[in-house]
Amino acid sequence: MDIVSRLRAAGCVFAEEEAALLSEAPADALDALVERRVAGEPLEHLLGWVLFDGLRVPLDPGVFIPRQRTEFLVELAAPLLSAGSVALDLCCGCGAVGAALLARVPGLVLHAADIDPAAVACASRSLPDVHLGSLFDALPDDLRGTLDVIAVNAPYVPTGSIALMPREARDHEPLLALDGGADGVRYHREIAEAAPRWLRPGGHLLIETSQSQAPLTMAAFTAAGFASRLHEDDDRYATVVSGQLRS
């Protein structure tokens, strides 16, 4: 049975495209990679990279795989930045958001942070300044009050919905990158509350959320003193809430 047929039999919807990408691997490794894909490992972990905003971003096994909808977060954040601006990719995972912002904004000063050591090690392959720790606790104190943009893709799957996620995510991505607490917006509240201490006057906070959770995310922004705005891209099922710190 050829590679395409094996992948299609395993339920891979885009079997032809996946076969072409896997075939870029050395011939002596190809069969093992196909077997692992058939067994359910995510394609991106097998390839060692994820295509995001036109970039091949390095991705290690066990690290959260950024979704294509998160490109909407980048598209909203990039126009708020220019050469010399300081941005933070918070809950950075493999660093895809930060890498995309650096590619879109020459001269950008970019920091990133994540609580997962595996994610920090992975992101450090793409980004210059990646910090390990829980949310803003990861950052050096001299960044307080200096950030122009904080772009966030924090976990926002409600705890009770984790079991309903595709097996690839449940089995191969870290729970701490998925679980957003009882209603999914635990981290949105914590981030919105703390962000004003790290943003410069007039700085922007942008958080990816879901359409159903957007009212809760917006409420978190309001409670923290932001005037929140909802952004939606129906084609990618992407939802982002943004807010600007008053000057």
Side-chain angles (χ1 to χ4, degrees):
M1 186 182 295
D2 65 20
I3 295 175
V4 172
S5 299
R6 291 166 67 187
L7 294 174
R8 187 176 292 118
C12 298
V13 176
F14 302 105
E16 291 83 359
E17 291 86 344
E18 292 195 14
L21 290 169
L22 289 170
S23 295
E24 295 181 13
D28 59 354
L30 179 58
D31 190 64
L33 289 174
V34 173
E35 285 295 328
R36 290 167 62 189
R37 180 65 182 128
V38 168
E41 289 191 47
L43 176 68
E44 295 84 356
H45 285 162
L46 298 177
L47 296 175
W49 54 268
V50 58
L51 185 64
F52 186 85
D53 203 42
L55 305 173
R56 286 192 174 189
V57 180
L59 181 72
D60 296 331
V63 175
F64 177 78
I65 302 168
R67 279 43 168 180
Q68 297 305 302
R69 62 176 172 267
T70 305
E71 292 176 356
F72 187 47
L73 177 65
V74 172
E75 292 166 9
L76 292 169
L80 304 173
L81 298 162
S82 59
S85 296
V86 184
L88 172 65
D89 176 4
L90 188 59
C91 303
C92 67
C94 70
V97 169
L101 289 174
L102 283 172
R104 283 174 173 258
V105 187
L108 176 67
V109 179
L110 192 285
H111 290 263
D114 201 286
I115 195 173
D116 183 2
V120 169
C122 183
S124 295
R125 296 163 59 192
S126 302
L127 305 178
D129 292 294
V130 188
H131 310 281
L132 174 64
S134 177
L135 301 179
F136 295 103
D137 289 345
L139 302 181
D141 282 342
D142 60 6
L143 284 181
R144 288 180 183 269
T146 70
L147 300 177
D148 294 282
V149 166
I150 302 172
V152 186
N153 183 19
Y156 60 89
V157 180
T159 303
S161 298
I162 299 291
L164 305 177
M165 295 187 71
R167 182 177 175 183
E168 281 188 16
R170 288 186 285 110
D171 291 351
H172 297 284
E173 294 181 301
L175 181 62
L176 56 77
L178 303 173
D179 191 343
D183 60 4
V185 298
R186 168 192 169 185
Y187 296 110
H188 297 180
R189 295 188 184 96
E190 292 183 17
I191 292 166
E193 180 182 3
R197 296 190 289 276
W198 294 90
L199 287 167
R200 66 161 181 81
H204 296 263
L205 173 66
L206 302 93
I207 300 182
E208 179 177 310
T209 187
S210 71
Q211 188 175 54
S212 62
Q213 292 164 306
L216 297 175
T217 305
M218 294 183 75
F221 275 60
T222 300
F226 290 97
S228 60
R229 181 181 175 190
L230 179 66
H231 310 263
E232 295 182 290
D233 182 330
D234 293 335
D235 292 336
R236 287 177 288 191
Y237 303 101
T239 304
V240 171
V241 174
S242 70
Q244 185 175 20
L245 189 64
R246 293 181 177 87
S247 299

